[in-house]
Amino acid sequence: MKHKSLLYIGLAATLTFTNACTKLDENAYDELLTDDFYNNKTEVLSAVLRPYTHANAWATPSGQDGWWRAAELSADQLAWPTKGRHGEDGGKWKRFHYHSWTVDEGGLNNAWSLMYGGIGFCNDPIENMEKRDVAAMGITQEEKDAFIAELKLLRAFHYLKIMDLFGNIPVVTKVGEPAKPETLPRIEVFNFIEKEIKENIDKVPQLSKAMLGRMSQAGAYAMLVELYLNAEMWTGTSRWDDCIAAADKLISGQAGGLNGALALDPNISDQFGTGNDLSKEAIFSIAYDYKVANFQPSWPSEFFHFKQQEIYGGGRNGNDGIVVIPGVYTTYKDADKRKSDWLLVGPMVKFADGKTPILASEEYNGEQLVFVDNIRKNKSGSTVSNMSEGEENSGVRFNKYKLGNQVAGPGGTPDINPNYNNTDWNIYRLTWVYFAKAEAIMRKNGGVANAEAVDLINACKKRAFSAEDWAAHAYTPATLTLDELLAERGKEFIFEGFRRNDMIRFDKFVTASWWDHSPSNATRELYPIPQRQIDLNDNLKQNPGY
């Protein structure tokens, strides 16, 4: 954890600005810190790192309406159903699920404001460092150039994700200029992002331990992979060869690695535990250090039950919110370790002794808490299953990322975890790059897998099965169809923010049915520009169909 602590010593000063992450009532194109700053390297580094803490609010399941919620809760794996007296929340989660959102959605406006606020946190230090002499800032010219390039790449990441949700958006690169930016067509935004990445990728360091949680060459190549993987959807022109070339930069190790050369981790838990800063496949993450900076993962609020701390031996509970849509759990084979390790179902017992039942607190007050793979009012014998009919135990639960434990398990095993509450959230990991390259190969080949595509997917999937079981579950060129690839992506990247994007690329998002969702229409492949933003800026143009 030494390098993570070093990162957050520099970051701790930025946390005084945390309240800006929730100031969502105005447009944020003119977000800035202060003009009387950048007087030494510590202040410079604090400004450089500020957008990363802000990204926690919008790029991860943070308890706030950011990119992540819009990217997952509209797709076919996760939902936030009403459970008894909890979770109605004005119907906002139902509108995500049913694709019935409106131009006045407060959550979409919050997401817009949070992401553009992050762009402001990038633009301000870029502008301030560009106009200042290095001697006055206590840094070298090389450091100055690298910091500015890093911020431009991080800004490109913001624009990539805003473009993903809203399509046609304004691009702002100066604080407050213009005050009312115009909407640009999605293809122009795409071209801006690509240009920014290509111009700055060689100016930042390769990925290394020193770049933990920061935008490096590896993070930049991962952005190019995402751009090119979705280029046909976003611009009308496929870029499969470019996707493969960017992926190869990462797979070959040319962009560095967090812990030696980039490589697939040997098992399925290394990327998601309290020591995941030691992962060999992490490319770009939102990094946390609770001990040094009091900066902790925010996702427990989204996923954890009201009594979750008893399940894992920690100190944090949640809002009993997001669950796995009924039937997704059964798509995993029983031999698949991801089913048992990443998902939580069945009777719950206390972590400390491994046997005492955890008692429910709502519909099943006084009875053992049992998570079930359905969403219906079982207590009354109802068989109606929809977004309104849940109980506190409805739905299979999130267990992919682990916080660690604050109390010892049965007989002292496992012991108290010294890295409790420090688990990083991966934005890009090498497994995702393997899948992207395999898909690009198949798309080039008329949707048919060749041996290379099969090898890429099997290298990732194999970790989820024992040696004895693997032969029965390995893909072949005949069995790895595009539909099967989408299904496998769902199993591998559940909870990671890619599902809506994947479904659109595979032409399933508005055409398919699942659980309590019927097909919508092509308009819904983009979210509307929030009406509140249009009211503030009459240069913004609404997306077609809204």
Side-chain angles (χ1 to χ4, degrees):
M1 291 294 174
K2 178 181 179 183
H3 288 276
K4 187 182 284 191
S5 297
L6 290 174
L7 168 66
Y8 281 101
I9 288 170
L11 191 79
T14 72
L15 296 181
T16 58
F17 297 102
T18 297
N19 288 340
C21 287
T22 55
K23 190 175 67 175
L24 304 173
D25 294 332
E26 70 284 337
N27 71 49
Y29 312 129
D30 60 349
E31 192 82 55
L32 72 147
L33 302 177
T34 176
D35 203 40
D36 184 23
F37 205 60
Y38 308 93
N39 299 309
N40 53 63
K41 187 173 181 178
T42 298
E43 291 185 353
V44 171
L45 186 59
S46 294
V48 171
L49 296 177
R50 178 62 183 94
Y52 293 105
T53 56
H54 186 82
N56 165 68
W58 66 264
T60 78
S62 68
Q64 298 192 57
D65 292 313
W67 165 83
W68 188 92
R69 284 178 173 176
E72 283 285 10
L73 296 182
S74 56
D76 66 346
Q77 289 190 308
L78 306 178
W80 191 322
T82 301
K83 304 183 198 71
R85 61 194 179 103
H86 298 285
E88 181 63 23
D89 297 335
K92 62 190 291 187
W93 314 122
K94 295 176 185 177
R95 291 192 293 275
F96 268 134
H97 190 78
Y98 298 142
H99 292 189
S100 59
W101 51 77
T102 71
V103 297
D104 295 313
E105 292 292 336
L108 293 178
N109 182 67
N110 292 348
W112 177 284
S113 296
L114 277 172
M115 289 189 279
Y116 272 106
I119 288 170
F121 284 128
C122 293
N123 285 340
D124 180 73
I126 291 171
E127 189 172 336
N128 272 283
M129 281 191 284
E130 284 180 337
K131 70 184 181 183
R132 282 173 164 79
D133 180 76
V134 292
M137 294 187 287
I139 60 177
T140 66
Q141 185 64 46
E142 182 180 13
E143 288 173 325
K144 174 181 175 178
D145 293 343
F147 286 152
I148 291 173
E150 177 183 351
L151 286 163
K152 287 183 176 180
L153 289 171
L154 185 59
R155 182 175 66 189
F157 172 69
H158 285 71
Y159 276 118
L160 191 157
K161 294 303 187 183
I162 301 172
M163 178 183 68
D164 171 35
L165 297 184
F166 299 104
N168 312 299
I169 59 172
V171 172
V172 182
T173 59
K174 295 287 185 182
V175 175
E177 297 180 21
K180 292 185 175 183
E182 296 183 354
T183 304
L184 296 180
R186 196 182 219 178
I187 190 170
E188 292 186 28
V189 182
F190 181 101
N191 291 339
F192 166 79
I193 296 168
E194 182 185 23
K195 182 174 181 288
E196 285 280 281
I197 296 172
K198 286 185 170 181
E199 287 181 351
N200 291 285
I201 196 167
D202 292 327
K203 298 177 183 177
V204 295
Q206 292 189 339
L207 179 60
S208 68
K209 203 69 172 177
M211 295 300 289
L212 170 67
R214 295 171 61 181
M215 185 58 70
S216 65
Q217 287 184 23
Y221 278 115
M223 282 195 288
L224 287 178
V225 172
E226 185 169 8
L227 268 184
Y228 298 142
L229 182 65
N230 295 288
E232 187 169 29
M233 178 178 70
W234 288 343
T235 71
T237 302
S238 63
R239 301 283 293 274
W240 306 122
D241 285 328
D242 290 330
C243 180
I244 292 168
D248 283 341
K249 290 285 189 179
L250 293 161
I251 294 170
S252 67
Q254 295 180 58
L258 186 61
N259 294 284
L262 274 176
L264 294 179
D265 287 326
N267 60 66
I268 63 167
S269 61
D270 290 345
Q271 309 98 294
F272 307 111
T274 59
N276 64 352
D277 59 323
L278 302 177
S279 165
K280 294 187 72 67
E281 74 168 72
I283 293 173
F284 175 50
S285 308
I286 304 301
Y288 302 93
D289 196 312
Y290 181 62
K291 293 180 179 178
V292 172
N294 196 30
F295 187 47
Q296 64 185 358
S298 300
W299 41 262
S301 66
E302 303 280 78
F303 297 116
F304 280 7
H305 184 268
F306 307 126
K307 291 192 172 183
Q308 193 87 12
Q309 63 182 27
E310 297 181 28
I311 298 173
Y312 73 99
R316 302 182 65 187
N317 292 316
N319 295 318
D320 197 33
I322 296 170
V323 303
V324 178
I325 285 173
V328 173
Y329 179 72
T330 58
T331 65
Y332 290 84
K333 302 297 184 182
D334 288 342
D336 192 332
K337 298 174 186 177
R338 296 171 297 189
K339 185 175 188 176
S340 55
D341 192 64
W342 294 354
L343 303 172
L344 196 62
V345 68
M348 296 294 107
V349 297
K350 293 188 177 182
F351 181 89
D353 62 16
K355 60 182 181 181
T356 301
I358 295 172
L359 302 183
S361 57
E362 297 291 324
E363 292 88 354
Y364 296 89
N365 185 33
E367 300 177 44
Q368 186 171 20
L369 178 64
V370 181
F371 293 135
V372 295
D373 185 21
N374 61 63
I375 297 172
R376 62 185 184 227
K377 296 187 184 300
N378 295 303
K379 188 74 171 177
S380 62
S382 174
T383 59
V384 176
S385 179
N386 60 43
M387 285 288 288
S388 301
E389 295 294 311
E391 299 175 317
E392 70 169 308
N393 64 341
S394 293
V396 175
R397 303 304 172 99
F398 168 95
N399 198 39
K400 193 170 193 176
Y401 281 84
K402 310 293 198 298
L403 280 184
N405 54 293
Q406 290 179 301
V407 299
T413 304
D415 203 349
I416 294 172
N417 191 317
N419 297 319
Y420 172 75
N421 220 16
N422 284 337
T423 309
D424 302 337
W425 184 271
N426 297 314
I427 302 297
Y428 295 117
R429 58 188 178 99
L430 190 61
T431 297
W432 178 84
V433 176
Y434 271 53
F435 271 73
K437 181 180 178 181
E439 182 180 337
I441 290 171
M442 293 176 66
R443 300 281 188 183
K444 280 187 62 181
N445 197 34
V448 177
N450 61 15
E452 184 179 12
V454 169
D455 288 345
L456 287 163
I457 302 303
N458 278 342
C460 304
K461 182 181 179 182
K462 185 176 183 178
R463 300 170 298 178
F465 294 86
S466 69
E468 294 75 20
D469 290 328
W470 172 237
H473 300 282
Y475 286 118
T476 67
T479 59
L480 186 59
T481 63
L482 281 176
D483 281 346
E484 184 60 31
L485 180 63
L486 177 62
E488 186 62 27
R489 285 189 67 91
K491 295 183 184 75
E492 180 64 32
F493 302 113
I494 190 170
F495 307 116
E496 294 189 45
F498 294 107
R499 192 59 180 174
R500 167 187 168 273
N501 183 280
D502 288 347
M503 293 189 74
I504 295 173
R505 199 172 60 255
F506 282 78
D507 195 26
K508 303 289 187 183
F509 185 67
V510 299
T511 62
S513 298
W514 56 86
W515 181 50
D516 191 28
H517 174 90
S518 300
S520 52
N521 62 73
T523 298
R524 300 291 151 162
E525 289 191 350
L526 280 181
Y527 286 107
I529 306 299
Q531 186 60 46
R532 198 176 309 176
Q533 297 300 320
I534 294 176
D535 293 342
L536 292 165
N537 176 9
D538 54 13
N539 285 330
L540 296 180
K541 300 296 185 288
Q542 186 55 271
N543 283 325
Y546 289 103

